[in-house]
Coordinates of all heavy atoms in Angstrom, one line a residue:
M79 N -20.8 -3.4 -29.6 CA -19.6 -3.3 -28.9 C -19.7 -3.8 -27.5 O -20.6 -3.4 -26.8 CB -19.1 -1.9 -28.9 CG -17.8 -1.7 -28.1 SD -17.4 0.1 -27.9 CE -16.5 0.4 -29.3
V80 N -18.7 -4.5 -27.0 CA -18.7 -5.1 -25.7 C -17.6 -4.4 -24.9 O -16.5 -4.2 -25.4 CB -18.5 -6.6 -25.7 CG1 -18.3 -7.1 -24.2 CG2 -19.6 -7.3 -26.4
T81 N -17.9 -3.9 -23.7 CA -16.8 -3.3 -22.9 C -16.7 -4.2 -21.6 O -17.6 -4.9 -21.2 CB -17.2 -1.9 -22.4 OG1 -18.4 -1.9 -21.7 CG2 -17.3 -1.0 -23.7
T82 N -15.6 -4.1 -21.0 CA -15.3 -4.9 -19.8 C -14.5 -4.1 -18.8 O -13.8 -3.2 -19.1 CB -14.5 -6.2 -20.2 OG1 -14.3 -7.0 -19.0 CG2 -13.2 -5.9 -20.8
T83 N -14.7 -4.5 -17.5 CA -13.9 -3.9 -16.5 C -12.9 -4.9 -15.9 O -12.2 -4.6 -14.9 CB -14.8 -3.4 -15.3 OG1 -15.5 -4.5 -14.8 CG2 -15.7 -2.3 -15.8
Q84 N -12.7 -6.0 -16.6 CA -11.7 -7.0 -16.2 C -10.3 -6.5 -16.5 O -10.1 -5.9 -17.5 CB -12.0 -8.3 -16.9 CG -13.3 -9.0 -16.6 CD -13.3 -9.4 -15.1 OE1 -12.4 -9.8 -14.5 NE2 -14.5 -9.1 -14.5
P85 N -9.4 -6.7 -15.5 CA -8.0 -6.2 -15.7 C -7.4 -7.1 -16.8 O -7.7 -8.3 -17.0 CB -7.4 -6.5 -14.4 CG -8.2 -7.5 -13.7 CD -9.6 -7.3 -14.2
T86 N -6.5 -6.5 -17.6 CA -5.7 -7.3 -18.5 C -4.3 -7.4 -18.1 O -3.9 -6.7 -17.1 CB -5.8 -6.6 -19.9 OG1 -5.0 -5.4 -19.8 CG2 -7.2 -6.3 -20.4
V87 N -3.5 -8.2 -18.7 CA -2.1 -8.4 -18.4 C -1.4 -7.0 -18.6 O -0.6 -6.6 -17.8 CB -1.5 -9.4 -19.3 CG1 0.0 -9.5 -19.1 CG2 -2.1 -10.8 -19.0
N88 N -1.8 -6.3 -19.6 CA -1.2 -5.0 -19.9 C -1.5 -4.0 -18.8 O -0.7 -3.1 -18.5 CB -1.6 -4.4 -21.2 CG -0.9 -5.1 -22.4 OD1 0.1 -5.8 -22.2 ND2 -1.5 -5.0 -23.5
D89 N -2.7 -4.0 -18.2 CA -3.0 -3.1 -17.1 C -2.0 -3.3 -16.0 O -1.5 -2.3 -15.5 CB -4.4 -3.4 -16.5 CG -5.6 -3.0 -17.4 OD1 -5.4 -2.1 -18.3 OD2 -6.7 -3.6 -17.3
G90 N -1.8 -4.5 -15.5 CA -0.8 -4.7 -14.5 C 0.6 -4.4 -14.9 O 1.3 -3.7 -14.1
L91 N 1.0 -4.7 -16.1 CA 2.3 -4.4 -16.5 C 2.5 -2.9 -16.6 O 3.5 -2.4 -16.2 CB 2.6 -5.0 -17.9 CG 3.9 -4.8 -18.5 CD1 5.0 -5.3 -17.6 CD2 4.0 -5.4 -19.9
D92 N 1.5 -2.2 -17.1 CA 1.6 -0.7 -17.3 C 1.7 0.0 -15.9 O 2.5 0.9 -15.7 CB 0.4 -0.2 -18.0 CG 0.4 -0.5 -19.5 OD1 1.5 -0.9 -20.0 OD2 -0.7 -0.4 -20.1
N93 N 1.0 -0.5 -14.9 CA 1.1 0.0 -13.6 C 2.5 -0.2 -13.0 O 3.1 0.6 -12.3 CB 0.0 -0.5 -12.6 CG -1.3 0.1 -12.9 OD1 -1.4 1.3 -13.2 ND2 -2.4 -0.6 -12.6
H94 N 3.1 -1.4 -13.2 CA 4.4 -1.7 -12.8 C 5.5 -0.9 -13.4 O 6.4 -0.4 -12.8 CB 4.7 -3.2 -13.0 CG 4.2 -4.1 -11.9 ND1 4.8 -4.3 -10.7 CD2 3.1 -4.9 -11.9 CE1 4.0 -5.2 -10.0 NE2 3.0 -5.5 -10.7
I95 N 5.3 -0.6 -14.7 CA 6.2 0.3 -15.4 C 6.2 1.7 -14.8 O 7.2 2.3 -14.6 CB 5.9 0.3 -16.9 CG1 6.3 -1.1 -17.5 CG2 6.7 1.4 -17.6 CD1 5.8 -1.3 -18.9
A96 N 5.0 2.2 -14.6 CA 4.8 3.5 -14.0 C 5.4 3.6 -12.7 O 6.1 4.5 -12.3 CB 3.3 3.9 -14.0
F97 N 5.2 2.5 -11.8 CA 5.8 2.5 -10.5 C 7.3 2.5 -10.6 O 7.9 3.2 -9.9 CB 5.3 1.2 -9.8 CG 6.1 0.9 -8.5 CD1 5.9 1.7 -7.4 CD2 7.1 0.0 -8.5 CE1 6.7 1.5 -6.2 CE2 7.8 -0.3 -7.4 CZ 7.7 0.5 -6.3
N98 N 7.9 1.6 -11.4 CA 9.3 1.6 -11.5 C 9.9 2.8 -12.0 O 11.1 3.2 -11.6 CB 9.7 0.4 -12.4 CG 9.6 -0.9 -11.6 OD1 9.9 -1.0 -10.4 ND2 9.1 -2.0 -12.3
T99 N 9.2 3.6 -12.8 CA 9.7 4.9 -13.3 C 9.8 5.9 -12.1 O 10.7 6.7 -12.1 CB 8.7 5.5 -14.3 OG1 8.7 4.6 -15.4 CG2 9.2 6.8 -14.8
M100 N 8.9 5.8 -11.1 CA 8.9 6.7 -10.0 C 9.5 6.1 -8.7 O 9.5 6.8 -7.7 CB 7.5 7.1 -9.7 CG 6.8 7.9 -10.8 SD 5.1 8.4 -10.3 CE 5.5 9.6 -8.9
R101 N 9.9 4.9 -8.7 CA 10.3 4.1 -7.5 C 11.3 4.9 -6.6 O 11.1 5.0 -5.4 CB 10.8 2.8 -7.9 CG 11.1 1.9 -6.7 CD 11.7 0.6 -7.1 NE 11.6 -0.3 -5.9 CZ 11.3 -1.6 -6.0 NH1 11.0 -2.1 -7.2 NH2 11.2 -2.3 -4.9
D102 N 12.4 5.3 -7.2 CA 13.4 6.0 -6.4 C 12.9 7.2 -5.7 O 13.1 7.5 -4.5 CB 14.6 6.3 -7.3 CG 15.4 5.1 -7.7 OD1 15.3 4.0 -7.1 OD2 16.2 5.2 -8.7
Q103 N 12.2 8.0 -6.5 CA 11.6 9.2 -5.9 C 10.6 8.9 -4.8 O 10.6 9.5 -3.7 CB 10.8 10.0 -7.0 CG 10.1 11.2 -6.5 CD 9.3 11.8 -7.6 OE1 9.3 11.4 -8.8 NE2 8.5 12.9 -7.3
L104 N 9.7 7.9 -5.0 CA 8.7 7.5 -4.0 C 9.4 7.0 -2.7 O 9.0 7.3 -1.6 CB 7.7 6.5 -4.6 CG 6.8 7.1 -5.6 CD1 6.0 5.9 -6.3 CD2 5.8 8.1 -5.0
E105 N 10.4 6.1 -2.9 CA 11.1 5.5 -1.8 C 11.8 6.6 -0.9 O 11.9 6.5 0.3 CB 12.0 4.4 -2.2 CG 11.3 3.2 -2.7 CD 12.2 2.0 -3.0 OE1 13.4 2.3 -3.4 OE2 11.7 0.9 -3.0
S106 N 12.3 7.6 -1.6 CA 13.0 8.7 -0.8 C 12.0 9.6 -0.1 O 12.2 10.1 1.0 CB 14.0 9.5 -1.6 OG 13.3 10.2 -2.6
Q107 N 10.8 9.9 -0.8 CA 9.8 10.8 -0.2 C 8.9 10.1 0.8 O 8.4 10.8 1.7 CB 9.0 11.4 -1.3 CG 9.8 12.4 -2.2 CD 8.9 12.9 -3.3 OE1 7.9 12.4 -3.6 NE2 9.4 14.0 -3.9
H108 N 8.6 8.8 0.6 CA 7.6 8.1 1.4 C 8.1 6.8 1.8 O 7.5 5.7 1.5 CB 6.3 8.0 0.6 CG 5.8 9.2 0.0 ND1 5.3 10.3 0.7 CD2 5.8 9.6 -1.3 CE1 5.0 11.2 -0.2 NE2 5.2 10.8 -1.4
P109 N 9.3 6.7 2.5 CA 9.8 5.4 2.9 C 8.9 4.6 3.7 O 8.1 5.1 4.5 CB 11.1 5.8 3.7 CG 10.9 7.2 4.2 CD 10.0 7.8 3.1
N110 N 8.9 3.3 3.4 CA 8.1 2.3 4.1 C 6.6 2.5 4.0 O 5.8 1.9 4.8 CB 8.5 2.2 5.6 CG 10.0 1.9 5.7 OD1 10.5 0.9 5.1 ND2 10.7 2.7 6.5
S111 N 6.2 3.2 3.1 CA 4.7 3.4 2.8 C 4.2 2.4 1.8 O 5.0 1.8 1.1 CB 4.5 4.9 2.3 OG 4.8 5.8 3.2
W112 N 2.9 2.3 1.7 CA 2.2 1.6 0.7 C 1.8 2.6 -0.4 O 1.3 3.7 0.0 CB 1.0 0.9 1.2 CG 1.3 -0.4 1.9 CD1 1.6 -0.5 3.3 CD2 1.4 -1.7 1.4 NE1 1.9 -1.8 3.6 CE2 1.7 -2.6 2.4 CE3 1.2 -2.2 0.1 CZ2 1.9 -3.9 2.2 CZ3 1.4 -3.6 -0.1 CH2 1.7 -4.4 0.9
V113 N 2.1 2.3 -1.6 CA 1.7 3.2 -2.7 C 0.6 2.5 -3.6 O 0.6 1.3 -3.7 CB 2.8 3.7 -3.6 CG1 3.8 4.6 -2.8 CG2 3.6 2.6 -4.2
V114 N -0.2 3.4 -4.2 CA -1.3 2.9 -5.1 C -1.1 3.5 -6.5 O -0.9 4.7 -6.6 CB -2.7 3.2 -4.5 CG1 -3.8 2.8 -5.5 CG2 -2.9 2.6 -3.2
F115 N -1.1 2.7 -7.5 CA -1.1 3.1 -8.9 C -2.4 2.6 -9.5 O -2.8 1.5 -9.3 CB 0.1 2.6 -9.6 CG 1.4 3.4 -9.4 CD1 2.1 3.3 -8.2 CD2 1.8 4.3 -10.4 CE1 3.2 4.1 -8.0 CE2 2.9 5.1 -10.1 CZ 3.6 5.0 -9.0
H116 N -3.0 3.5 -10.4 CA -4.1 3.1 -11.1 C -4.0 3.8 -12.5 O -3.7 5.0 -12.6 CB -5.4 3.6 -10.4 CG -6.7 3.2 -11.1 ND1 -7.3 4.1 -12.0 CD2 -7.4 2.1 -11.0 CE1 -8.4 3.5 -12.4 NE2 -8.5 2.3 -11.9
D117 N -4.3 3.0 -13.5 CA -4.2 3.5 -14.9 C -2.8 4.3 -15.1 O -2.8 5.4 -15.7 CB -5.3 4.4 -15.3 CG -6.6 3.7 -15.5 OD1 -6.6 2.5 -15.7 OD2 -7.7 4.3 -15.4
Q118 N -1.8 3.7 -14.7 CA -0.4 4.2 -14.8 C -0.2 5.5 -14.1 O 0.8 6.2 -14.4 CB -0.1 4.4 -16.3 CG -0.2 3.1 -17.1 CD -0.1 3.4 -18.6 OE1 0.7 4.2 -19.0 NE2 -1.0 2.8 -19.4
E119 N -1.0 5.8 -13.1 CA -0.9 7.1 -12.4 C -0.6 6.8 -10.9 O -1.3 5.9 -10.4 CB -2.2 7.9 -12.5 CG -2.5 8.3 -13.9 CD -1.9 9.6 -14.3 OE1 -1.6 10.4 -13.5 OE2 -1.7 9.8 -15.5
F120 N 0.2 7.5 -10.3 CA 0.4 7.4 -8.8 C -0.8 8.1 -8.2 O -1.2 9.2 -8.4 CB 1.7 8.2 -8.4 CG 1.9 8.4 -7.0 CD1 2.0 7.3 -6.1 CD2 1.9 9.6 -6.4 CE1 2.2 7.4 -4.8 CE2 2.1 9.8 -5.0 CZ 2.2 8.7 -4.2
V121 N -1.5 7.3 -7.3 CA -2.7 7.7 -6.7 C -2.5 8.3 -5.3 O -3.1 9.3 -4.9 CB -3.7 6.6 -6.7 CG1 -5.0 7.0 -5.9 CG2 -4.1 6.1 -8.1
G122 N -1.6 7.6 -4.6 CA -1.3 8.1 -3.2 C -0.5 7.2 -2.4 O -0.1 6.1 -2.9
H123 N -0.1 7.6 -1.2 CA 0.7 6.8 -0.4 C 0.0 6.7 1.0 O -0.7 7.6 1.4 CB 2.2 7.4 -0.2 CG 2.2 8.7 0.5 ND1 2.3 8.8 1.8 CD2 2.0 9.9 0.0 CE1 2.3 10.1 2.1 NE2 2.1 10.8 1.0
Y124 N 0.2 5.5 1.6 CA -0.5 5.2 2.8 C 0.4 4.4 3.8 O 1.3 3.8 3.4 CB -1.8 4.4 2.5 CG -2.7 5.0 1.5 CD1 -2.5 4.9 0.1 CD2 -3.7 5.9 1.9 CE1 -3.3 5.6 -0.8 CE2 -4.5 6.5 1.0 CZ -4.3 6.4 -0.3 OH -5.1 7.0 -1.2
E125 N 0.0 4.5 5.1 CA 0.8 3.9 6.1 C 0.7 2.4 6.1 O 1.6 1.6 6.4 CB 0.5 4.5 7.5 CG 1.5 4.2 8.5 CD 1.2 5.0 9.8 OE1 1.1 6.3 9.7 OE2 1.2 4.4 10.8
T126 N -0.5 1.9 5.8 CA -0.7 0.4 5.9 C -1.4 0.0 4.6 O -2.0 0.8 3.8 CB -1.7 0.1 7.0 OG1 -3.0 0.6 6.8 CG2 -1.1 0.5 8.4
Y127 N -1.4 -1.4 4.4 CA -2.1 -2.0 3.2 C -3.6 -1.7 3.3 O -4.2 -1.3 2.3 CB -1.8 -3.5 3.2 CG -2.7 -4.2 2.2 CD1 -2.5 -4.1 0.8 CD2 -3.8 -4.9 2.7 CE1 -3.3 -4.7 -0.1 CE2 -4.7 -5.5 1.8 CZ -4.4 -5.4 0.4 OH -5.3 -6.0 -0.5
D128 N -4.1 -1.8 4.4 CA -5.6 -1.6 4.6 C -5.9 -0.1 4.2 O -7.0 0.1 3.6 CB -6.1 -1.9 6.0 CG -6.1 -3.4 6.2 OD1 -6.2 -4.2 5.3 OD2 -5.9 -3.8 7.4
A129 N -5.1 0.8 4.7 CA -5.3 2.2 4.4 C -5.2 2.5 2.9 O -6.0 3.3 2.3 CB -4.4 3.1 5.2
A130 N -4.2 1.8 2.2 CA -4.1 2.0 0.8 C -5.3 1.5 0.0 O -5.8 2.1 -0.9 CB -2.8 1.3 0.3
R131 N -5.7 0.3 0.4 CA -6.9 -0.3 -0.2 C -8.1 0.6 0.0 O -8.9 0.9 -0.9 CB -7.1 -1.7 0.4 CG -8.2 -2.4 -0.4 CD -8.3 -3.8 0.1 NE -9.4 -4.4 -0.6 CZ -9.7 -5.7 -0.6 NH1 -9.0 -6.5 0.1 NH2 -10.8 -6.1 -1.2
Q132 N -8.3 1.1 1.2 CA -9.5 2.0 1.5 C -9.3 3.3 0.7 O -10.3 3.8 0.2 CB -9.6 2.2 3.0 CG -10.9 3.0 3.3 CD -12.1 2.3 2.9 OE1 -12.3 1.1 3.2 NE2 -13.0 2.9 2.2
G133 N -8.1 3.8 0.6 CA -7.9 5.0 -0.1 C -8.3 4.9 -1.6 O -8.9 5.8 -2.2
A134 N -7.9 3.7 -2.2 CA -8.3 3.5 -3.6 C -9.9 3.4 -3.7 O -10.5 4.0 -4.6 CB -7.7 2.2 -4.1
R135 N -10.5 2.7 -2.7 CA -11.9 2.6 -2.7 C -12.6 4.0 -2.6 O -13.6 4.3 -3.2 CB -12.4 1.7 -1.6 CG -12.3 0.3 -1.9 CD -12.9 -0.5 -0.8 NE -12.9 -1.9 -1.2 CZ -13.0 -2.9 -0.3 NH1 -13.2 -2.6 1.0 NH2 -13.1 -4.1 -0.7
D136 N -12.0 4.8 -1.7 CA -12.6 6.2 -1.5 C -12.5 7.0 -2.7 O -13.3 8.0 -2.9 CB -11.8 6.9 -0.3 CG -12.1 6.3 1.0 OD1 -13.0 5.5 1.2 OD2 -11.3 6.6 2.0
Q137 N -11.6 6.7 -3.6 CA -11.5 7.5 -4.9 C -12.2 6.8 -6.0 O -12.1 7.1 -7.2 CB -10.0 7.6 -5.2 CG -9.2 8.5 -4.3 CD -7.8 8.6 -4.7 OE1 -7.5 9.1 -5.7 NE2 -6.9 8.2 -3.7
N138 N -13.1 5.8 -5.6 CA -13.9 5.0 -6.5 C -13.1 4.3 -7.6 O -13.5 4.2 -8.8 CB -15.0 6.0 -7.2 CG -15.9 6.5 -6.1 OD1 -16.4 5.7 -5.3 ND2 -16.2 7.8 -6.2
L139 N -11.9 3.8 -7.3 CA -11.1 3.1 -8.2 C -11.4 1.6 -8.2 O -11.8 1.1 -7.1 CB -9.6 3.3 -7.9 CG -9.1 4.7 -7.8 CD1 -7.6 4.7 -7.4 CD2 -9.3 5.4 -9.2
N140 N -11.4 1.0 -9.3 CA -11.6 -0.5 -9.4 C -10.3 -1.1 -8.9 O -9.3 -1.0 -9.5 CB -11.9 -0.9 -10.8 CG -12.1 -2.3 -11.0 OD1 -11.7 -3.1 -10.2 ND2 -12.8 -2.7 -12.1
L141 N -10.4 -1.8 -7.7 CA -9.2 -2.4 -7.1 C -8.5 -3.4 -8.0 O -7.3 -3.6 -7.9 CB -9.5 -3.0 -5.8 CG -9.9 -2.0 -4.7 CD1 -10.3 -2.8 -3.4 CD2 -8.8 -1.1 -4.4
A142 N -9.3 -4.0 -8.9 CA -8.7 -5.0 -9.8 C -7.8 -4.3 -10.8 O -7.0 -5.0 -11.5 CB -9.8 -5.7 -10.6
H143 N -7.9 -3.0 -11.0 CA -7.0 -2.3 -11.9 C -5.9 -1.5 -11.2 O -5.3 -0.6 -11.8 CB -7.8 -1.3 -12.7 CG -8.8 -2.0 -13.7 ND1 -8.5 -2.2 -15.0 CD2 -10.0 -2.6 -13.4 CE1 -9.5 -2.9 -15.5 NE2 -10.4 -3.1 -14.6
C144 N -5.7 -1.8 -9.9 CA -4.8 -1.0 -9.1 C -3.5 -1.9 -8.8 O -3.6 -3.1 -8.7 CB -5.4 -0.6 -7.7 SG -6.6 0.7 -7.9
L145 N -2.4 -1.2 -8.6 CA -1.2 -1.9 -8.1 C -1.0 -1.3 -6.7 O -1.0 0.0 -6.5 CB 0.0 -1.5 -8.9 CG 1.4 -1.9 -8.3 CD1 1.6 -3.4 -8.2 CD2 2.5 -1.2 -9.1
L146 N -0.9 -2.1 -5.7 CA -0.6 -1.7 -4.3 C 0.7 -2.3 -4.0 O 0.9 -3.5 -4.1 CB -1.6 -2.2 -3.3 CG -3.0 -1.5 -3.2 CD1 -3.8 -1.7 -4.5 CD2 -3.7 -1.9 -2.0
Q147 N 1.7 -1.5 -3.7 CA 3.0 -1.9 -3.4 C 3.7 -1.3 -2.2 O 3.5 -0.1 -2.0 CB 3.9 -1.7 -4.6 CG 5.3 -2.3 -4.4 CD 6.0 -2.8 -5.7 OE1 5.3 -3.0 -6.7 NE2 7.3 -2.9 -5.6
K148 N 4.4 -2.1 -1.4 CA 5.1 -1.6 -0.2 C 6.4 -1.0 -0.7 O 7.2 -1.7 -1.4 CB 5.3 -2.7 0.7 CG 6.1 -2.4 1.9 CD 5.3 -1.7 3.0 CE 6.1 -1.7 4.3 NZ 5.6 -0.7 5.2
L149 N 6.8 0.2 -0.2 CA 8.1 0.8 -0.6 C 9.1 0.3 0.4 O 8.8 0.1 1.6 CB 8.0 2.3 -0.5 CG 7.1 2.9 -1.6 CD1 7.0 4.4 -1.3 CD2 7.5 2.7 -3.0
N150 N 10.4 0.2 0.0 CA 11.5 -0.2 0.8 C 11.3 -1.5 1.5 O 11.9 -1.8 2.5 CB 11.8 0.9 1.8 CG 12.0 2.3 1.2 OD1 11.0 3.0 1.3 ND2 13.1 2.6 0.7
A151 N 10.5 -2.4 0.9 CA 10.3 -3.7 1.6 C 11.4 -4.7 1.1 O 11.9 -4.6 0.0 CB 9.0 -4.3 1.1
S152 N 11.8 -5.5 2.1 CA 12.8 -6.5 1.8 C 12.3 -7.8 2.4 O 12.3 -7.9 3.6 CB 14.1 -6.1 2.3 OG 15.1 -7.1 2.0
P153 N 11.9 -8.8 1.6 CA 11.8 -8.8 0.2 C 10.6 -7.9 -0.3 O 9.8 -7.5 0.5 CB 11.5 -10.2 -0.2 CG 10.8 -10.8 1.0 CD 11.4 -10.0 2.2
T154 N 10.6 -7.6 -1.6 CA 9.5 -6.8 -2.2 C 8.2 -7.4 -1.9 O 8.0 -8.6 -2.1 CB 9.8 -6.6 -3.7 OG1 11.0 -6.0 -3.8 CG2 8.7 -5.7 -4.3
I155 N 7.2 -6.6 -1.5 CA 5.8 -7.1 -1.4 C 5.0 -6.4 -2.4 O 4.9 -5.1 -2.4 CB 5.3 -6.7 0.0 CG1 6.2 -7.4 1.1 CG2 3.8 -7.1 0.2 CD1 5.9 -6.9 2.5
V156 N 4.3 -7.1 -3.2 CA 3.4 -6.6 -4.2 C 2.0 -7.3 -4.1 O 2.0 -8.5 -4.1 CB 3.9 -6.8 -5.7 CG1 2.9 -6.3 -6.7 CG2 5.3 -6.2 -5.8
L157 N 1.0 -6.6 -4.0 CA -0.3 -7.2 -3.9 C -1.3 -6.5 -4.9 O -1.3 -5.3 -5.1 CB -1.0 -7.0 -2.5 CG -0.2 -7.6 -1.4 CD1 -0.9 -7.2 0.0 CD2 -0.2 -9.1 -1.5
S158 N -1.9 -7.4 -5.7 CA -3.0 -6.9 -6.5 C -4.3 -7.6 -6.0 O -4.2 -8.7 -5.5 CB -2.8 -7.4 -8.0 OG -1.6 -6.7 -8.5
C159 N -5.4 -6.9 -6.0 CA -6.6 -7.5 -5.4 C -7.8 -7.1 -6.2 O -7.8 -6.2 -7.0 CB -6.7 -7.0 -4.0 SG -6.8 -5.2 -3.8
A160 N -8.8 -7.9 -6.0 CA -10.1 -7.6 -6.6 C -11.2 -7.8 -5.6 O -11.0 -8.6 -4.6 CB -10.3 -8.5 -7.8
D161 N -12.3 -7.1 -5.7 CA -13.4 -7.3 -4.8 C -14.2 -8.5 -5.2 O -14.4 -8.9 -6.3 CB -14.3 -6.1 -4.8 CG -13.7 -5.0 -3.9 OD1 -13.0 -5.3 -3.0 OD2 -14.1 -3.8 -4.1

């Protein structure tokens, strides 16, 4: 059996679905913050992109499997990253 840590299309899609399910709540509770989702779970909110990325690392999350998104951004800013 072979296992991989490479993100799949579904990983990204699942994180987006989870984000969109919580979007209104997050935007009202944490306006203009960066949020992190991993494995369809809300991980946290941060003031800056760099803080969000570091927060994910501090929790030992694989950044390639994370969604980092700015709330209340116009236009919408979405970043996915890998080390």
Side-chain angles (χ1 to χ4, degrees):
M79 174 192 273
V80 176
T81 59
T82 181
T83 60
Q84 294 297 318
T86 67
V87 173
N88 286 341
D89 289 338
L91 180 60
D92 290 342
N93 281 330
H94 279 279
I95 291 169
F97 166 75
N98 283 320
T99 299
M100 295 184 67
R101 183 181 198 142
D102 291 339
Q103 175 187 358
L104 291 170
E105 286 183 339
S106 68
Q107 291 178 345
H108 311 291
N110 302 310
S111 294
W112 282 88
V113 293
V114 177
F115 277 78
H116 181 267
D117 287 341
Q118 304 170 43
E119 300 272 332
F120 171 63
V121 175
H123 64 93
Y124 303 87
E125 199 169 307
T126 66
Y127 167 77
D128 290 333
R131 187 173 176 172
Q132 187 60 49
R135 283 185 172 161
D136 290 346
Q137 294 181 56
N138 296 315
L139 302 178
N140 182 338
L141 292 176
H143 294 262
C144 289
L145 167 70
L146 282 70
Q147 183 151 341
K148 174 82 170 164
L149 296 174
N150 307 98
S152 182
T154 300
I155 300 171
V156 178
L157 297 174
S158 295
C159 59
D161 277 339

